[in-house]
């Protein structure tokens, strides 16, 4: 009897020991699993943080990861962005079947509105004009359908106001106002209009129009020479009466006198690896912001003083993740915030000046 009790006691002790070992193993495994998940979550977040962008040269901008608040609303290829700095609106143009062609956000990232415009086929470039009084949005349309090959003016809520060009008819170099895949438009505060016409079409032109649409001057010859173009893709005017054109196919920026149209200079040494796709100025006119699609970069060049073009000088480069493919950019003229339309990533991103980010 005593021996039987002793064996039972040993069996109970062994069972208790095995149970404790099992529980320790479970707890240990659970702790290891939790640590593993935490480690990979941290690694993943850190990887995404580093993959978003990397800066070389002088650090001038920081990514605002909170903009917009609902990035899932992007549903197509994002081609262009425009900012109304006085009303705090950001317009994003995208392509795709059965999707809104324009999304409207606040500069704080709140989604405000979508345009399901049937008059817009393939948006390419976009510009917000006359922000202080009667703002309107100008969009170039490179579609081949009945509304393509045009430049359109819309109200802020998407009402079509005016159409430049011959809808559905690809132009030639014979008629200044018959476009062939117009790439971008820039409207000066004076009301004068600058259009680069030729996102791969027959035309390769820079056109300046008066506010009443009279041709003031034009350069319209394809080639690599002075004042010739091969896929002029973006245009901007600075405070010193100079017009800057991203001459994409020739991998250079060309500069002209905005009054006379005279050729002033050319920059090509900064674009040996990839062509300039977009050109914009920071509000203080200190830097030229250039998008380079194939190398996934946003490059900030030093803007030359009045009367001097000289050679281009890279001040800062924002290297985006692979296949993001930045296409066109715009800047908030009040805050200097930089917005980038990214075809590959299917999104628009916001970068804020480091001073504004508290760095």
């Amino acid at each position: 009897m005593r021996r039987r009790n002793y064996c039972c006691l040993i069996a109970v002790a062994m069972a208790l020991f095995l149970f404790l070992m099992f529980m320790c193993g479970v707890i240990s495994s659970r702790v290891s699993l939790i640590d593993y998940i935490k480690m990979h979550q941290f690694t993943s977040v850190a990887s995404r943080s580093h993959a978003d962008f990397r800066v070389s040269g002088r650090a001038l901008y920081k990514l605002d990861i909170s903009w917009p608040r609902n990035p899932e609303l992007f549903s197509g290829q994002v081609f262009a962005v425009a900012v109304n700095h006085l009303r705090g609106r950001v317009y994003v143009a995208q392509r795709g079947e059965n999707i809104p062609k324009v999304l409207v956000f606040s500069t704080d990232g709140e989604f405000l509105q979508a345009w399901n415009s049937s008059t817009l086929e393939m948006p390419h470039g976009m510009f917000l004009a006359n922000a202080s009084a009667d703002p309107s949005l100008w969009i170039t349309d490179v579609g081949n359908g009945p509304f393509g090959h045009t430049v359109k003016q819309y109200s802020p809520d998407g009402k079509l106001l005016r159409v430049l060009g011959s809808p559905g008819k690809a132009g030639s170099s014979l008629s200044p106002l018959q476009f062939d895949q117009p790439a971008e438009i820039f409207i000066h505060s004076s009301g004068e209009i600058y259009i680069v016409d030729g996102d791969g079409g027959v035309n390769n032109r820079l056109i300046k129009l008066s506010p009443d649409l009279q041709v003031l001057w034009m350069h319209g010859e394809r080639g690599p020479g002075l004042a010739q173009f091969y896929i002029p893709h973006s245009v901007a005017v600075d405070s010193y009466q100079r017009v800057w054109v991203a001459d994409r196919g020739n991998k250079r920026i060309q500069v002209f006198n905005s009054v006379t149209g005279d050729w002033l200079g050319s920059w090509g040494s900064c674009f040996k690896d990839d062509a300039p796709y977009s050109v914009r100025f920071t509000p203080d006119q200190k830097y030229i912001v250039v998008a380079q699609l194939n190398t996934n970069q946003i490059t900030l060049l030093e803007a030359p003083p009045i009367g001097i073009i000289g050679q281009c000088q890279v001040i800062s480069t924002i290297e985006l993740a692979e296949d993001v493919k930045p296409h066109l950019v715009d800047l908030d003229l009040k805050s200097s915030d930089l917005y980038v339309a990214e075809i590959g990533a299917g999104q628009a991103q916001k970068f804020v000046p480091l001073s504004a980010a508290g760095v």
Side-chain angles (χ1 to χ4, degrees), residues 314-330:
V314 176
I315 301 300
S316 178
T317 300
I318 303 173
E319 300 177 19
L320 303 172
E322 186 177 359
D323 294 328
V324 166
K325 298 193 178 303
H327 185 245
L328 293 171
V329 307
D330 200 18

Side-chain angles (χ1 to χ4, degrees), residues 7 26 214 319 335:
C7 290
V26 169
Q214 300 300 309
E319 300 177 19
S335 65

Side-chain angles (χ1 to χ4, degrees), residues 110-187:
E110 180 184 358
F111 173 70
L112 301 175
Q113 188 182 11
W115 299 359
N116 297 295
S117 177
S118 60
T119 62
L120 192 56
E121 293 179 13
M122 296 181 67
H124 187 275
M126 186 161 52
F127 188 84
L128 193 287
N130 201 16
S132 61
D134 187 19
S136 63
L137 202 67
W138 292 79
I139 303 177
T140 63
D141 192 336
V142 298
N144 291 313
F147 301 105
H149 302 293
T150 53
V151 179
K152 303 181 176 76
Q153 181 187 20
Y154 290 91
S155 69
D157 59 356
K159 180 182 178 182
L160 181 62
L161 302 176
R162 181 160 50 171
V163 178
L164 306 185
S166 302
K169 296 180 181 180
S172 68
S173 59
L174 300 178
S175 175
L177 290 181
Q178 190 172 0
F179 307 114
D180 188 358
Q181 301 183 44
E184 196 181 55
I185 182 171
F186 186 99
I187 300 180

Side-chain angles (χ1 to χ4, degrees), residues 15 41 63 94 108 138 216 231 236 278 341 348 352 359:
Q41 283 178 336
L63 178 66
Q94 58 179 6
D108 293 330
W138 292 79
L216 298 178
I231 313 180
S278 182
V352 298
V359 179

Side-chain angles (χ1 to χ4, degrees), residues 11-336:
V12 170
M14 288 295 294
L16 181 60
F17 175 78
L18 291 174
F19 176 76
L20 291 174
M21 289 295 292
F22 172 77
M23 290 302 297
C24 287
V26 169
I27 293 172
S28 176
S29 298
R30 185 181 178 189
V31 170
S32 299
L33 181 60
I34 292 173
D35 289 341
Y36 178 84
I37 292 172
K38 285 183 177 180
M39 179 183 69
H40 279 262
Q41 283 178 336
F42 176 80
T43 302
S44 177
V45 171
S47 298
R48 285 199 302 269
S49 175
H50 290 297
D52 284 332
F53 78 105
R54 184 179 62 189
V55 174
S56 58
R58 187 186 307 170
L60 297 174
Y61 276 91
K62 174 185 178 180
L63 178 66
D64 183 351
I65 60 175
S66 66
W67 194 96
R69 298 175 190 173
N70 302 104
E72 68 276 5
L73 293 172
F74 297 124
S75 52
Q77 290 183 310
V78 175
F79 266 74
V81 60
V83 186
N84 185 331
H85 64 289
L86 296 179
R87 304 195 180 187
R89 298 290 182 268
V90 181
Y91 300 85
V92 179
Q94 58 179 6
R95 295 184 194 174
E97 297 294 331
N98 301 316
I99 65 170
K101 293 301 193 296
V102 176
L103 302 175
V104 187
F105 299 90
S106 72
T107 51
D108 293 330
E110 180 184 358
F111 173 70
L112 301 175
Q113 188 182 11
W115 299 359
N116 297 295
S117 177
S118 60
T119 62
L120 192 56
E121 293 179 13
M122 296 181 67
H124 187 275
M126 186 161 52
F127 188 84
L128 193 287
N130 201 16
S132 61
D134 187 19
S136 63
L137 202 67
W138 292 79
I139 303 177
T140 63
D141 192 336
V142 298
N144 291 313
F147 301 105
H149 302 293
T150 53
V151 179
K152 303 181 176 76
Q153 181 187 20
Y154 290 91
S155 69
D157 59 356
K159 180 182 178 182
L160 181 62
L161 302 176
R162 181 160 50 171
V163 178
L164 306 185
S166 302
K169 296 180 181 180
S172 68
S173 59
L174 300 178
S175 175
L177 290 181
Q178 190 172 0
F179 307 114
D180 188 358
Q181 301 183 44
E184 196 181 55
I185 182 171
F186 186 99
I187 300 180
H188 193 264
S189 57
S190 64
E192 295 172 330
I193 301 170
Y194 299 82
I195 299 172
V196 280
D197 177 26
D199 184 41
V202 174
N203 297 338
N204 288 271
R205 307 184 299 188
L206 167 63
I207 308 168
K208 179 182 180 181
L209 303 175
S210 66
D212 60 353
L213 305 182
Q214 300 300 309
V215 178
L216 298 178
W217 53 260
M218 179 176 69
H219 294 290
E221 186 176 354
R222 174 173 171 170
L226 305 184
Q228 294 179 331
F229 301 103
Y230 179 41
I231 313 180
H233 199 262
S234 180
V235 58
V237 182
D238 66 13
S239 299
Y240 306 114
Q241 296 184 334
R242 297 178 299 194
V243 184
W244 298 73
V245 178
D247 188 5
R248 188 185 115 189
N250 287 319
K251 288 188 176 181
R252 64 185 179 182
I253 291 176
Q254 293 199 75
V255 191
F256 301 86
N257 183 292
S258 66
V259 178
T260 65
D262 292 340
W263 183 87
L264 298 177
S266 177
W267 283 355
S269 61
C270 293
F271 309 111
K272 294 180 179 179
D273 295 330
D274 191 17
Y277 275 68
S278 182
V279 56
R280 283 289 183 270
F281 283 83
T282 55
D284 58 11
Q285 303 284 295
K286 288 184 178 180
Y287 305 106
I288 303 172
V289 184
V290 177
Q292 294 176 272
L293 181 142
N294 295 301
T295 52
N296 302 294
Q297 292 180 339
I298 305 296
T299 304
L300 284 89
L301 309 175
E302 184 176 20
I306 185 171
I308 301 174
I309 301 302
Q311 297 297 317
C312 58
Q313 181 177 353
V314 176
I315 301 300
S316 178
T317 300
I318 303 173
E319 300 177 19
L320 303 172
E322 186 177 359
D323 294 328
V324 166
K325 298 193 178 303
H327 185 245
L328 293 171
V329 307
D330 200 18
L331 287 103
D332 187 316
L333 298 180
K334 181 179 179 180
S335 65
S336 296

